[in-house]
């Protein structure tokens, strides 16, 4: 042990006493219901909901907050759709450029072959033509072997110039040449590319853009669900004045159940009626509203499927 080991503060790690004084490191604490978001709080701004509305799954939020969230999601969906269109247009342009290049190669090599300038080994189409000739020879052999006793037809068909078939053949030829050019360009690249060159880094490789969002979603929980402005339910809490002293100028108001007149707290399970938006505790909703089929506050009809349980945090 060194001379001043008890007072040493230059260690590479914290001691138990130092960690206790600095409040440093991982701390564990049990969170109760009071540590969670209030039952009438917006899940977006985490404050008491102003002009509260509710989605079809019972998630409460401010009207302004949810409108801003839906608008931001719609703008993101629009941006992704525009980017997808741009990617498709760019891919079409690249394909057209490749086809034009392949067509120019076909024309130049045809001209050189007619003039007797082009050597067989230097031709880009040499491998492609050889493979096509091999395929035709195989088809001829198979046809002759399959029908050796067939007699030729004495009546010859008149020659017909089919433009559609010619266009198909030219397109196929251009595509094959474009593939051959790509393969030739890939073969010229080194096996171990220079990773410091920006064009050869893995991050610059283009990948197909996929649209991640197609609909506006409610982000209150991990399993998101669809949401729209039409499906939002206006929430109507019944308020009651709490007991207060005479010294207090403003009386506090709290939300209560219209039937049992009990105040709502974070542990209370709430249910909302889809038709009118009145909020009840779950026990009263099961006892009275499901049996009567009507809202106890406004008398509007309420079926069992119209009762939505509000989910807290």
């Amino acid at each position: 042990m060194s001379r001043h080991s008890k007072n040493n503060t230059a260690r590479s790690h914290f001691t138990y006493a130092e960690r206790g004084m600095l409040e440093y490191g991982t701390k564990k604490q049990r969170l109760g219901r009071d540590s969670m978001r209030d039952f009438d709080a917006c899940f977006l701004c985490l404050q008491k909901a102003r002009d509260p509305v509710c989605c079809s799954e019972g998630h409460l939020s401010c009207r302004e907050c949810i409108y801003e969230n839906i608008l931001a999601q719609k703008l993101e969906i629009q941006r992704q759709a525009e980017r997808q269109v741009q990617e498709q247009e760019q891919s079409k342009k690249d394909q057209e450029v490749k086809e034009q290049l392949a067509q120019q190669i076909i024309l130049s090599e045809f001209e050189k072959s007619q003039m007797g300038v082009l050597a067989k080994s230097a031709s880009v189409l040499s491998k492609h033509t050889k493979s096509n000739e091999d395929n035709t020879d195989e088809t001829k052999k198979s046809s002759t072997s399959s029908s050796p006793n067939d007699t030729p037809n004495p009546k010859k068909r008149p020659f017909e110039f089919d433009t559609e078939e010619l266009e198909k053949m030219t397109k196929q030829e251009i595509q094959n040449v474009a593939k051959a050019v790509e393969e030739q360009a890939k073969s010229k690249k080194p096996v171990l590319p220079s990773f410091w060159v920006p064009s050869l880094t893995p991050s610059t490789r283009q990948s197909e853009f996929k649209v991640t969002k197609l609909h506006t979603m409610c982000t209150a929980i991990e399993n998101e669900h669809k949401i729209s402005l039409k499906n939002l339910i206006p929430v109507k809490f019944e308020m009651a004045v709490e007991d207060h002293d005479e010294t207090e100028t403003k009386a506090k108001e709290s939300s209560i159940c219209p039937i049992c007149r009990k105040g709502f707290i974070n542990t209370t399970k709430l249910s909302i009626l889809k038709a009118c938006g009145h909020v009840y505790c779950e026990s009263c909703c099961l006892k009275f509203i499901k049996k009567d089929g009507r809202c106890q506050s406004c008398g509007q009809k309420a079926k069992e499927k119209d009762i939505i349980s509000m989910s807290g945090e």
Side-chain angles (χ1 to χ4, degrees), residues 79-95 205-211:
R79 186 191 67 81
Q80 289 184 3
E82 289 175 356
R83 185 178 172 185
Q84 189 180 22
V85 171
Q86 289 176 0
E87 291 284 340
Q88 290 175 356
E89 290 177 355
Q90 186 65 31
S91 63
K92 286 181 181 178
K93 287 180 182 178
D94 294 342
Q95 187 66 26
R205 293 177 184 173
Q206 292 183 355
S207 58
E208 293 182 1
F209 178 75
K210 294 181 180 179
V211 178

Side-chain angles (χ1 to χ4, degrees), residues 65-252:
C65 295
I66 197 67
Y67 278 17
E68 288 179 357
N69 189 11
I70 291 173
L71 179 61
Q73 290 186 38
K74 284 184 176 180
L75 292 174
E76 179 65 19
I77 291 168
Q78 186 178 0
R79 186 191 67 81
Q80 289 184 3
E82 289 175 356
R83 185 178 172 185
Q84 189 180 22
V85 171
Q86 289 176 0
E87 291 284 340
Q88 290 175 356
E89 290 177 355
Q90 186 65 31
S91 63
K92 286 181 181 178
K93 287 180 182 178
D94 294 342
Q95 187 66 26
E96 287 176 0
V97 170
K98 288 178 183 178
E99 289 179 357
Q100 287 177 3
L101 180 62
Q103 196 169 4
Q104 289 176 3
I105 290 170
I106 292 169
L107 292 173
S108 62
E109 291 186 357
F110 177 74
E111 290 175 356
K112 288 178 182 180
S113 63
Q114 291 296 317
M115 297 295 291
V117 178
L118 186 65
K120 291 183 179 179
S121 60
S123 176
V124 179
L125 303 174
S126 59
K127 295 181 180 180
H128 172 60
T129 51
K130 284 180 183 178
S131 62
N132 287 340
E133 287 175 1
D134 295 338
N135 293 330
T136 52
D137 291 338
E138 288 177 359
T139 52
K140 284 180 181 178
K141 287 178 182 178
S142 62
S143 62
T144 52
S145 61
S146 61
S147 58
N149 298 324
D150 292 344
T151 56
N153 190 4
K155 293 182 180 180
K156 293 184 178 179
R157 291 183 300 171
F159 176 74
E160 294 179 357
F161 187 75
D162 193 357
T163 56
E164 292 182 358
E165 189 174 355
L166 183 63
E167 287 178 359
K168 287 180 182 179
M169 291 172 65
T170 52
K171 284 181 180 179
Q172 187 66 29
E173 185 72 18
I174 289 168
Q175 288 177 2
N176 293 333
V177 173
K179 287 181 181 178
V181 171
E182 285 182 1
E183 290 175 359
Q184 190 175 5
K186 286 179 182 178
S187 63
K188 288 182 179 179
K189 286 185 179 180
V191 179
L192 296 173
S194 303
F195 61 87
W196 56 86
V197 180
S199 60
L200 299 176
T201 54
S203 60
T204 58
R205 293 177 184 173
Q206 292 183 355
S207 58
E208 293 182 1
F209 178 75
K210 294 181 180 179
V211 178
T212 55
K213 276 193 174 183
L214 297 174
H215 304 282
T216 52
M217 309 295 286
C218 178
T219 57
I221 54 175
E222 189 175 355
N223 297 326
E224 299 179 356
H225 59 90
K226 294 180 183 179
I227 190 173
S228 63
L229 295 175
K230 294 180 181 179
N231 297 333
L232 293 176
I233 306 164
V235 180
K236 299 174 185 176
F237 286 108
E238 186 163 338
M239 309 302 291
V241 179
E242 293 182 356
D243 296 335
H244 61 284
D245 300 333
E246 295 179 356
T247 56
E248 295 180 0
T249 55
K250 291 184 179 179
K252 293 182 180 179

